[in-house]
């Protein structure tokens, strides 16, 4: 992912609604003295501008991401004196054991779709939470963008650049996981489920530039394309998104995806 480009993109309307309305309706943001953790904070714009302002008060706010470039961008462009941006591999338990049993609210937006061992990472969340604490997740299960990535990955024009490269399309896209799949995992770990919902989200995009920037910033494949061909790759990726449903009959550009909304609680 491109940290600087991704930072310029406003969160999708459905993400903002989940953070500001859905979680509010479920009683979040009322308690004080919270220990908040944002998992997969990226360049920090969602963390600082959309998540942090929702909490009335907190003792500690930690935002973690696997990518050093994302954390560097977050620290420089989205600095906040109350947020500690930390490089951390959430799939590596040793990276996060120092916070086990301390977190009262954990938020993860568009992160768990990138993780290879989701069950292990949900267990890590369980271990991070205090008894009675809650976690909220929003991520994509299946999307037109994923379909476009698969298409361009296999396109003979571009595939020679991707030999041995993981296209990072979520397993849920291929295997058609839904909320029932995740409900079983979470209940087996020991969580109490407050919300577990998969739903098709159609978010309008304001312009062709916004759409191209969004999809280009999300794919890891671009890093394997020669610099002189990246503009062409950006255009071809966009065309594949359109072919897979990224435009409505009336010509509106949209980000269309089946997403999972989760809110879970660690029993006392």
């Amino acid at each position: 992912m491109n940290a600087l480009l991704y930072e310029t993109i406003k969160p999708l309307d459905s993400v903002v609604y989940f953070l500001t309305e859905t979680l509010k309706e479920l009683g979040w943001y009322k308690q004080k003295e919270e220990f908040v953790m944002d998992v997969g904070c990226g360049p920090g714009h969602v963390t600082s501008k959309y998540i942090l302002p929702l909490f009335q008060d907190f003792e500690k706010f930690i935002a973690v991401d696997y990518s050093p470039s994302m954390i560097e961008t977050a620290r420089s462009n989205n600095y906040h004196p109350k947020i500690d941006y930390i490089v951390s591999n959430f799939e590596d338990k040793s990276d996060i054991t120092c916070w086990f049993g301390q977190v009262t609210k954990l938020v993860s937006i568009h992160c768990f779709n990138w993780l290879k061992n989701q069950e292990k990472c949900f267990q890590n969340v369980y271990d991070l939470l205090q008894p009675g604490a809650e976690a909220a997740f929003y991520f994509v299960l299946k999307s037109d963008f994923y379909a476009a990535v698969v298409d361009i990955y296999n396109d003979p024009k571009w595939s020679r650049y991707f030999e041995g490269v993981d296209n990072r399309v979520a397993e849920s896209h291929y295997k058609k996981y839904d909320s029932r799949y995740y409900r079983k995992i979470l209940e087996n770990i020991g969580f109490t489920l407050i919300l577990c919902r998969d739903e098709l989200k159609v978010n309008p995009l304001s312009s062709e530039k916004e759409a191209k920037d969004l999809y280009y910033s999300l794919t890891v494949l671009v890093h394997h394309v020669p610099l002189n061909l990246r503009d062409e790759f950006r255009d071809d990726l966009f065309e594949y998104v359109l072919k897979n449903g990224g435009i409505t009959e009336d010509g509106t550009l949209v980000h269309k995806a089946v997403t999972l909304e989760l809110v879970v609680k660690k029993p006392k």
Side-chain angles (χ1 to χ4, degrees):
M1 293 176 66
N2 185 312
L4 292 175
L5 181 58
Y6 187 62
E7 183 199 8
T8 66
I9 298 168
K10 180 181 178 294
L12 298 172
D13 292 343
S14 58
V15 171
V16 176
Y17 188 89
F18 176 71
L19 290 170
T20 60
E21 300 297 331
T22 302
L23 293 185
K24 185 178 180 181
E25 291 170 3
L26 294 176
W28 277 49
Y29 317 129
K30 291 183 178 180
Q31 299 181 30
K32 294 186 177 182
E33 300 180 348
E34 301 274 18
F35 182 146
V36 183
M37 178 177 282
D38 180 9
V39 176
C41 64
H45 61 309
V46 175
T47 310
S48 61
K49 296 179 176 64
Y50 293 90
I51 298 177
L52 182 140
L54 298 172
F55 289 93
Q56 296 179 25
D57 193 15
F58 48 85
E59 290 183 346
K60 185 178 287 190
F61 195 117
I62 290 177
V64 301
D65 198 276
Y66 174 79
S67 169
S69 65
M70 289 290 186
I71 293 299
E72 181 181 350
T73 302
R75 289 172 178 168
S76 60
N77 295 0
N78 292 290
Y79 168 80
H80 192 287
K82 292 186 175 182
I83 301 176
D84 289 328
Y85 292 109
I86 299 173
V87 177
S88 178
N89 179 2
F90 202 75
E91 292 185 281
D92 184 349
K93 191 172 184 176
S94 65
D95 265 17
I96 56 176
T97 51
C98 59
W99 302 303
F100 274 11
Q102 300 180 46
V103 178
T104 61
K105 289 286 192 297
L106 185 145
V107 183
S108 184
I109 303 296
H110 286 316
C111 172
F112 266 60
N113 48 294
W114 295 100
L115 302 177
K116 289 296 185 183
N117 191 333
Q118 293 178 332
E119 185 171 358
K120 175 182 176 182
C121 292
F122 281 124
Q123 180 64 58
N124 287 343
V125 171
Y126 188 90
D127 293 336
L128 282 163
L129 296 179
Q130 293 182 15
E134 296 180 1
F137 310 85
Y138 182 107
F139 58 93
V140 171
L141 299 180
K142 179 179 173 61
S143 73
D144 297 335
F145 166 69
Y146 284 159
V149 171
V150 172
D151 285 345
I152 204 165
Y153 184 81
N154 293 318
D155 186 332
K157 177 180 177 181
W158 298 106
S159 60
R160 61 196 175 106
Y161 300 114
F162 307 140
E163 290 184 16
V165 173
D166 185 350
N167 63 18
R168 303 295 290 183
V169 171
E171 186 176 73
S172 58
H173 180 80
Y174 296 114
K175 297 188 177 180
K176 298 180 173 56
Y177 295 154
D178 60 15
S179 58
R180 293 169 296 180
Y181 171 83
Y182 289 94
R183 177 179 293 274
K184 183 177 179 180
I185 290 175
L186 294 162
E187 289 179 340
N188 286 342
I189 289 172
F191 283 112
T192 299
L193 272 66
I194 298 170
L195 174 68
C196 183
R197 176 172 64 200
D198 60 82
E199 188 171 85
L200 176 65
K201 304 286 188 181
V202 181
N203 289 271
L205 302 174
S206 62
S207 66
E208 183 175 306
K209 181 182 184 304
E210 181 191 11
K212 286 185 176 182
D213 285 350
L214 172 64
Y215 301 128
Y216 184 81
S217 72
L218 287 175
T219 178
V220 298
L221 298 180
V222 65
H223 302 295
H224 303 277
V225 175
L227 288 173
N228 65 315
L229 296 177
R230 289 188 179 180
D231 286 344
E232 187 176 351
F233 174 81
R234 179 175 178 264
D235 292 340
D236 284 3
L237 177 64
F238 176 65
E239 289 301 319
Y240 270 124
V241 173
L242 298 184
K243 289 177 182 178
N244 281 285
I247 188 168
T248 63
E249 291 184 359
D250 65 2
T252 302
L253 296 173
V254 292
H255 178 277
K256 189 169 63 176
V258 176
T259 64
L260 186 70
E261 295 174 306
L262 290 173
V263 180
V264 297
K265 184 174 184 176
K266 182 176 181 175
K268 292 184 178 180

